[in-house]
Amino acid sequence: MKLATCQNHTRDGQLMVVSRDLSRAVAVPHIAATLQQALDNWAQAEPQLQQVYIALNQGEAASAIAFDAARCLSPLPRAYQWADGSAYLNHVELVRRARGAEVPDSFYHDPLMYQGGSDAFLPPCAPIPLRDEAWGLDFEGEVAVVTGDVPLGADAAACASHIRLLLLVNDVTLRNLIPGELAKGFGFFQSKPATAFSPVAVTPDELGDAWQDGKVHLPLLVDYNGACYGKPNAGVGMQFSFPQLVAHVARTRELVAGSIVGSGTVSNHDRSVGSCCLAEQRMIEIIDTGAAITPFMKVGDTVRIEMKDAAGLSIFGAIAQTVVKHD
Amino acid sequence: MKLATCQNHTRDGQLMVVSRDLSRAVAVPHIAATLQQALDNWAQAEPQLQQVYIALNQGEAASAIAFDAARCLSPLPRAYQWADGSAYLNHVELVRRARGAEVPDSFYHDPLMYQGGSDAFLPPCAPIPLRDEAWGLDFEGEVAVVTGDVPLGADAAACASHIRLLLLVNDVTLRNLIPGELAKGFGFFQSKPATAFSPVAVTPDELGDAWQDGKVHLPLLVDYNGACYGKPNAGVGMQFSFPQLVAHVARTRELVAGSIVGSGTVSNHDRSVGSCCLAEQRMIEIIDTGAAITPFMKVGDTVRIEMKDAAGLSIFGAIAQTVVKHD
C-alpha cells in the first residue's frame, strides 16, 4: 500500500491512497483525514485503506484523481518524533579517517542516533530555504521507517512488528555549524534544519524481496544538479537494521505511533557507486589529496532523491528540491 | 488564563480551562477539544478561552467540575517539539569544575540546547518507569514555554511575542548513560527518557510582575522524598531568556505552534537554596570533598516540583512522581 499527504491548507494535509504506479490517488476521509489519524488507529484503518488501494490499482476507485507529487506535503507534515540513526559505518569511517581518528569498537554494536526536529518538515518538492551559504548546506539521502506504538523496552524482534511504513529522507544538514555544536557536547541542533521526506510512504510488503532482515536492498538514487551523484545499495553496509534502530529508541522510552526513525546517510564501501551527501566526497578528497575540493550547496542548486524497483519504477516518488535564499 | 489536559482515553486528552486557584475546571469542546487544537488556532481560540476563564473564576461556569491534577495528562500529552536549553550557567559551571574544566567563553553568549523526545510525555502525577537503577535516574526541575508559530530567522524580540504558555518540567535524566552518549558525539538520546510537565500551563500574564525580561522571577520548589531539596529563583542566573532560547531554535528553522522550549535545570550560585537535580549536589560534593556521596533515585523515591505565587498559592499545580520498576 502507498500513502501520501496532499496540501489542503490545513496543518496536516489530506491523506491520499496512491496507486502502485504513482499515477492515481484518492482521498479517504471516511477512513482517516490525515496519515497521523490512520497511524493512531492502524488496526482499524489499515484493512480499509488496503481495500481502497486494491480498488485503485484495479481502476475501480471512482473519485480518484491524477497523483501530483508537487502538491504533496511530507507524508507526516509534522510528526511527534524524528530520530535519525547513522547505521552506515562506511560514512562514519570516512569522517573519522579524514581527521585521522579510529572508529571506536562500540560503534559496531551500539548505534549512533540523534533526535531531530519534527515539528515542521519540508514538502518533498519545496525549496530548501537557506539564510546563509556560509553555513555549508548539504543533502543526506536516507531511508526511514514510520512506527506504530512501541512499548518501552521492546527488543528488535518485537520492534520489527511495529514498522508500519517506509519512506525516503533528505536529512538537510548545515555542515559548517556542526563543529561548533559538537564541541559544545549537546549534539546537533541548529546544524539540522527542516528535513524533507519522499512524497509517498509505503508499507514494507510493497518492497517484495527487497525488504529483508529489516533493510531495504535497493540502490538509493541521488542526483545533484541533474547528474547522478550516488547510487549506493541501502541494503549494503547497514550495520544496524531498522528493527535494531527502533529498539535503540525503545531502550529507555516508549515510542508513539507516527514516530519516524531514519537510517542515516546511505553509504557503501564501493566508491564507484558515489555518495548520498557532499560531505562524504569531501572526506574522500581529504583522505586522497589532503584537501576538500567539492563545495557545499549554493542557492539554485538542486537535489533529487529516489528509489526504483527491479522494473525501474519509482517506489516512493522523488524528493526534488532547489536551494533558495531566505532573507 | 490556566489550561490543563484531562485524561479521557484519547491520545491527546480533553482540554480544560482551570480556575486561577486550581479548584475548578471546565471542558470547552465548543472552542477546542485539545490544547494542540487551541494552539493551532490561537488567534480565534484565545479570546474565547479567556471568556470561559473569567466566568469560571467568577463561579459562573455552570458545567465546571472539581479540578483534579491526578487525572491530568501533560498539557500537551504528545508534542511536535521539545527543545531544552541549559540557560543556568551555575549548573554548567559546577559540572565543569567537578571535572576540572573551564566553562568556554562561548557558553555565555551561545545557548546550549538539545532536542528532546516529544512523542510521549509522562502525566504530572504518573510514576517514572525505570528499567535499571544502575542507569542513574535523576530529576531536573525546569521552567518551559509553549510557543505559537515562529518564523525562520525570528530574533528574540519577535520570539517574545510568540510565547503562549508557561509550565514546569521534570526533565527526567539517566545520568549514568550520559558519559557514553556524549563520547559518541551525537548528544543525549537514551539518557533522556520521557519528560513530565506540570498539570497546568498558564499564559504569561498569570505571573504578573514575576514575568519580566522573558524570565520567571519566582523560586522553583523541588521536594525529594518529602523534604525540600531546592528552591532557587528561576529569575536568577538565567543567562538566556526564553525569547533568546526560542530565537536559538529559530535561527535555522521555523517552529510550529505547540513547540515546547525549556530553560534547563534551574540553578542559583547561592548554595543555601539547594538544587533542582541530584547531579548538582554530587558535583558540589566532588568539588568540596573529592567524591560524590548523594545516590541517584531508587525505586520508591518521590520528587515534587511546584511554583507558588507571592500569596503562596500554587501556580501550575505540582509535578508529583514516584519511581517504579519497569520490567
Side-chain angles (χ1 to χ4, degrees):
Chain A
M1 181 166 63
K2 301 194 176 192
L3 301 171
T5 295
C6 202
Q7 171 64 266
N8 68 348
H9 304 291
T10 65
R11 290 177 181 267
D12 296 301
Q14 167 73 62
L15 175 63
M16 309 285 285
V17 177
V18 183
S19 64
R20 181 165 290 127
D21 66 0
L22 307 184
S23 70
R24 308 284 289 166
V26 62
V28 284
H30 57 294
I31 304 172
T34 69
L35 179 54
Q36 183 65 50
Q37 282 183 19
L39 290 160
D40 283 349
N41 192 32
W42 192 248
Q44 282 70 48
E46 191 266 347
Q48 297 179 63
L49 293 169
Q50 282 285 5
Q51 285 193 331
V52 172
Y53 183 60
I54 291 166
L56 182 64
N57 284 326
Q58 294 173 341
E60 292 167 5
S63 52
I65 58 171
F67 175 66
D68 181 4
R71 288 195 58 228
C72 284
L73 301 175
S74 172
L76 290 167
R78 50 181 182 173
Y80 295 107
Q81 175 153 243
W82 161 225
D84 197 12
S86 186
Y88 296 89
L89 286 194
N90 183 59
H91 181 80
V92 178
E93 287 163 359
L94 287 172
V95 173
R96 294 260 164 172
R97 273 181 61 196
R99 63 171 200 246
E102 298 285 309
V103 177
D105 185 59
S106 67
F107 281 28
Y108 294 89
H109 54 81
D110 181 32
L112 281 168
M113 189 172 282
Y114 80 93
Q115 192 81 44
S118 59
D119 60 319
F121 296 134
L122 297 175
C125 301
I128 301 171
L130 180 61
R131 294 183 64 207
D132 188 345
E133 278 189 355
W135 290 348
L137 183 69
D138 200 358
F139 50 86
E140 288 193 1
E142 309 188 1
V143 182
V145 296
V146 180
T147 75
D149 295 306
V150 181
L152 171 61
D155 63 13
C159 289
S161 70
H162 298 299
I163 291 174
R164 299 280 177 261
L165 299 168
L166 288 133
L167 67 179
L168 305 182
V169 188
N170 179 12
D171 180 36
V172 181
T173 299
L174 299 169
R175 296 285 180 197
N176 294 339
L177 299 186
I178 288 180
E181 291 206 310
L182 294 197
K184 289 159 73 178
F186 273 34
F188 308 117
F189 196 91
Q190 292 179 333
S191 52
K192 293 290 186 179
T195 308
F197 294 89
S198 52
V200 174
V202 311
T203 47
D205 60 289
E206 287 294 330
L207 296 173
D209 291 345
W211 175 245
Q212 280 188 23
D213 306 322
K215 304 175 187 178
V216 178
H217 296 265
L218 287 169
L220 185 67
L221 310 175
V222 176
D223 287 2
Y224 178 41
N225 288 334
C228 174
Y229 197 77
K231 50 180 180 179
N233 192 303
V236 174
M238 190 181 184
Q239 183 75 14
F240 306 100
S241 69
F242 281 111
Q244 288 175 308
L245 294 173
V246 175
H248 185 80
V249 185
R251 183 174 177 230
T252 64
R253 63 193 210 224
E254 63 172 315
L255 292 80
V256 305
S259 288
I260 307 173
V261 179
S263 67
T265 309
V266 177
S267 178
N268 290 172
H269 192 67
D270 175 4
R271 286 194 188 178
S272 74
V273 296
S275 295
C276 292
C277 69
L278 298 172
E280 196 170 302
Q281 281 302 310
R282 289 169 55 92
M283 296 308 162
I284 291 171
E285 290 162 2
I286 290 170
I287 291 166
D288 288 352
T289 73
I293 302 154
T294 300
F296 289 119
M297 294 183 89
K298 299 201 167 0
V299 170
D301 280 2
T302 64
V303 61
R304 181 183 174 93
I305 299 172
E306 197 169 13
M307 185 175 271
K308 294 181 178 175
D309 64 17
L313 295 175
S314 184
I315 298 171
F316 303 93
I319 298 171
Q321 300 185 281
T322 303
V323 180
V324 298
K325 181 83 176 80
H326 181 96
D327 295 312
Chain B
M1 181 166 63
K2 301 194 176 191
L3 302 171
T5 295
C6 202
Q7 172 64 266
N8 68 347
H9 304 290
T10 65
R11 290 175 181 268
D12 296 301
Q14 167 72 62
L15 176 62
M16 309 285 285
V17 177
V18 183
S19 64
R20 181 166 289 127
D21 66 1
L22 307 185
S23 70
R24 307 285 288 167
V26 61
V28 283
H30 57 294
I31 303 172
T34 69
L35 179 54
Q36 183 65 50
Q37 282 183 19
L39 289 160
D40 282 349
N41 191 32
W42 192 249
Q44 283 70 48
E46 192 266 346
Q48 297 179 64
L49 294 169
Q50 282 284 4
Q51 284 193 333
V52 172
Y53 184 61
I54 291 166
L56 182 65
N57 284 326
Q58 293 172 343
E60 294 168 3
S63 53
I65 59 171
F67 175 66
D68 181 4
R71 288 195 58 229
C72 284
L73 302 176
S74 172
L76 289 168
R78 51 182 181 172
Y80 295 107
Q81 175 154 243
W82 162 225
D84 196 12
S86 186
Y88 296 88
L89 287 194
N90 183 60
H91 181 79
V92 179
E93 287 162 1
L94 287 172
V95 173
R96 295 260 165 173
R97 273 181 61 197
R99 65 171 200 244
E102 297 285 309
V103 177
D105 185 60
S106 68
F107 281 27
Y108 294 90
H109 53 81
D110 180 32
L112 280 170
M113 187 171 284
Y114 80 92
Q115 192 82 44
S118 57
D119 60 320
F121 296 134
L122 296 175
C125 300
I128 301 171
L130 179 61
R131 294 182 64 205
D132 187 345
E133 278 189 354
W135 289 348
L137 184 67
D138 199 358
F139 51 84
E140 289 193 2
E142 309 189 1
V143 183
V145 297
V146 179
T147 74
D149 295 305
V150 181
L152 171 61
D155 63 14
C159 289
S161 70
H162 297 299
I163 291 174
R164 299 280 175 260
L165 299 168
L166 288 132
L167 68 179
L168 305 182
V169 188
N170 180 11
D171 180 35
V172 180
T173 299
L174 299 169
R175 296 288 179 196
N176 293 339
L177 299 186
I178 288 181
E181 291 207 308
L182 294 197
K184 288 159 71 179
F186 273 35
F188 308 116
F189 195 90
Q190 293 179 333
S191 53
K192 294 290 186 180
T195 307
F197 295 90
S198 53
V200 174
V202 311
T203 48
D205 60 289
E206 287 293 330
L207 297 173
D209 291 346
W211 174 245
Q212 280 187 23
D213 306 321
K215 304 175 188 178
V216 178
H217 296 265
L218 286 169
L220 185 67
L221 310 175
V222 176
D223 287 2
Y224 177 42
N225 287 335
C228 175
Y229 197 77
K231 51 180 180 178
N233 192 304
V236 173
M238 191 182 183
Q239 184 75 11
F240 306 101
S241 68
F242 282 110
Q244 287 174 307
L245 293 174
V246 176
H248 185 79
V249 185
R251 183 173 177 230
T252 63
R253 63 193 207 221
E254 64 173 314
L255 291 80
V256 306
S259 289
I260 307 173
V261 180
S263 67
T265 310
V266 177
S267 178
N268 290 173
H269 191 68
D270 175 5
R271 286 194 188 179
S272 74
V273 297
S275 295
C276 293
C277 68
L278 298 173
E280 195 169 303
Q281 281 303 311
R282 289 168 56 91
M283 296 307 162
I284 290 170
E285 290 161 1
I286 290 171
I287 292 165
D288 288 353
T289 74
I293 301 154
T294 300
F296 290 118
M297 294 183 90
K298 299 201 166 1
V299 170
D301 280 2
T302 64
V303 60
R304 181 183 173 93
I305 300 172
E306 197 169 14
M307 185 175 270
K308 294 181 177 177
D309 64 18
L313 296 175
S314 184
I315 298 171
F316 303 92
I319 297 170
Q321 300 184 281
T322 303
V323 180
V324 298
K325 181 81 176 81
H326 182 95
D327 294 310

